[in-house]
């Protein structure tokens, strides 16, 4: 069974909508683990639009006894190299990052920046960090990720989730079996939800599923009745 890692960025998105202190991603992480999450994932973006440096620090302290539970998604920049080397998450996932995007739009182009990324991975490995690269289900990209020393890859499931056809599912399956054949460990994520997860969860050899938006969305809906009841109770009791 693949491990379920919860991306809690959007707890921080709601907090940042008001620039206040709630909802708190750290409390969200604790509750997610109580609910059975095998890991917590956050993306520290250059623009800090949701998760910020303090969140990353607090999460890393909370998960210190089991650092393997903590995945930090980040762009391959000098700033992130320095932060991750201090924080020491269990896994780093390198992702492409554009300022205007609403979410990560595609896999990292590893073949297009092979030399740069090879050096970058060397620096991360020197700091004893384990590295995954978020990539499209593309053999050339997967092979290059292996060649430059990635420990894991994360297959971008976005094309499948946008068009959940046999063709797109097979591309994910083939990418995962090719990665396994090369000796890479494989994760998968992006756009996975309660409707499209089953065929992906059934694929052999996926180590971790990284899921964010659909779980945070569901949390709002399963929690809203109770939240209203609590407020009603307070108002009634005056
Ligand atoms: N994996 C990666 C590399 C991502 O960038 C994201 C989005 O932050 C996810 C998984 C989770 O995607 P979603 O929020 O659509 O579940």
């Amino acid at each position: 069974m693949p491990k379920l890692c919860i991306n809690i960025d959007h707890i921080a998105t709601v907090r940042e909508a008001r620039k206040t202190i709630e909802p708190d991603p750290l409390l969200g992480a604790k509750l997610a683990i109580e609910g059975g999450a095998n890991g917590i994932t956050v993306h520290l973006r250059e623009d800090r639009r949701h998760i910020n440096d303090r969140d990353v620090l607090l999460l890393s302290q909370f998960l210190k006894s089991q650092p393997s539970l903590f995945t930090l998604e980040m762009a391959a920049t000098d700033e992130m190299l320095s932060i991750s080397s201090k924080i020491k998450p269990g896994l780093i996932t390198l992702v492409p990052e554009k300022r205007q995007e609403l979410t990560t739009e595609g896999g990292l182009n590893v073949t297009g920046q092979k030399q740069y990324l090879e050096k970058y991975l060397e620096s991360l490995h020197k700091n004893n960090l384990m590295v995954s690269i978020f990539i499209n289900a593309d053999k050339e990209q997967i092979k290059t990720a292996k060649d430059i020393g990635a420990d894991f890859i994360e297959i971008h499931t976005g094309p499948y989730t946008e068009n959940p056809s046999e063709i797109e599912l097979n591309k994910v399956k083939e990418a995962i079996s090719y990665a396994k054949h090369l000796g890479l460990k494989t994760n998968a994520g992006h756009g996975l939800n309660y409707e499209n997860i089953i065929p992906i969860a059934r694929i052999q050899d996926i180590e971790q599923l990284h899921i964010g938006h659909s779980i945070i969305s569901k949390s709002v809906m399963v929690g809203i009745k109770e939240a209203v009841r609590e407020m009603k109770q307070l108002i009634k009791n005056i």
Side-chain angles (χ1 to χ4, degrees):
M1 194 172 100
K3 292 190 174 123
L4 177 58
C5 302
I6 315 297
N7 182 314
I8 59 168
D9 290 349
H10 293 316
I11 298 180
T13 302
V14 177
R15 178 191 64 195
E16 292 307 307
R18 280 290 180 95
K19 300 271 176 223
T20 179
I21 57 166
E22 64 171 5
D24 174 17
L26 180 63
L27 179 57
K30 289 179 181 168
L31 295 173
I33 288 173
E34 276 177 33
N38 304 110
I40 299 297
T41 305
V42 292
H43 182 176
L44 184 65
R45 296 184 66 99
E46 185 201 10
D47 61 10
R48 310 298 198 266
R49 70 168 70 150
H50 38 54
I51 291 292
N52 61 34
D53 300 64
R54 182 173 177 273
D55 295 326
V56 171
L57 182 66
L58 293 179
L59 284 163
S60 74
Q61 286 167 351
F62 166 57
L63 298 167
K64 205 173 195 140
S65 60
Q66 294 156 285
S68 62
L69 291 182
F70 187 32
T71 299
L72 180 65
E73 290 177 10
M74 60 183 221
T77 61
D78 290 346
E79 182 197 22
M80 291 300 151
L81 176 62
S82 152
I83 293 172
S84 58
S85 303
K86 287 180 201 129
I87 293 288
K88 301 247 183 267
L91 185 66
I92 285 174
T93 301
L94 296 178
V95 295
E97 203 175 290
K98 291 193 216 123
R99 235 165 211 277
Q100 301 306 324
E101 69 192 358
L102 291 179
T103 180
T104 314
E105 281 169 357
L108 193 65
N109 181 0
V110 192
T111 45
Q113 41 185 338
K114 186 175 174 188
Q115 280 182 337
Y116 173 78
L117 287 174
E118 189 162 25
K119 286 221 163 69
Y120 197 83
L121 260 73
E122 255 176 51
S123 308
L124 290 170
H125 283 143
K126 266 188 207 146
N127 284 292
N128 295 319
L129 293 164
M130 187 119 84
V131 190
S132 178
I133 308 180
F134 183 58
I135 47 178
N136 294 339
D138 176 291
K139 279 194 172 177
E140 202 188 339
Q141 296 287 344
I142 297 170
K143 173 78 171 65
T144 314
K146 172 70 184 170
D147 291 345
I148 65 169
D151 306 290
F152 276 80
I153 53 166
E154 179 177 332
I155 294 293
H156 183 14
T157 49
Y160 157 75
T161 63
E162 278 159 31
N163 170 23
S165 62
E166 277 301 306
I167 292 175
E168 290 301 334
L169 182 62
N170 283 335
K171 285 186 195 164
V172 176
K173 286 183 182 170
E174 279 163 23
I176 289 165
S177 74
Y178 181 62
K180 188 185 179 202
H181 158 78
L182 295 179
L184 279 163
K185 291 185 178 153
T186 310
N187 299 333
H190 213 280
L192 295 171
N193 63 28
Y194 295 82
E195 272 78 50
N196 61 29
I197 188 64
I198 299 296
I200 294 287
R202 282 195 179 127
I203 300 174
Q204 297 270 309
D205 302 315
I206 295 181
E207 302 268 333
Q208 305 169 352
L209 293 167
H210 289 259
I211 308 182
H213 186 261
S214 65
I215 293 180
I216 304 305
S217 305
K218 173 75 90 178
S219 312
V220 174
M221 292 307 162
V222 299
I224 197 161
K225 275 194 201 172
E226 184 53 32
V228 171
R229 260 188 223 116
E230 276 187 33
M231 186 59 85
K232 257 315 273 242
Q233 204 56 39
L234 288 172
I235 296 168
K236 257 197 334 210
N237 289 345
I238 52 171

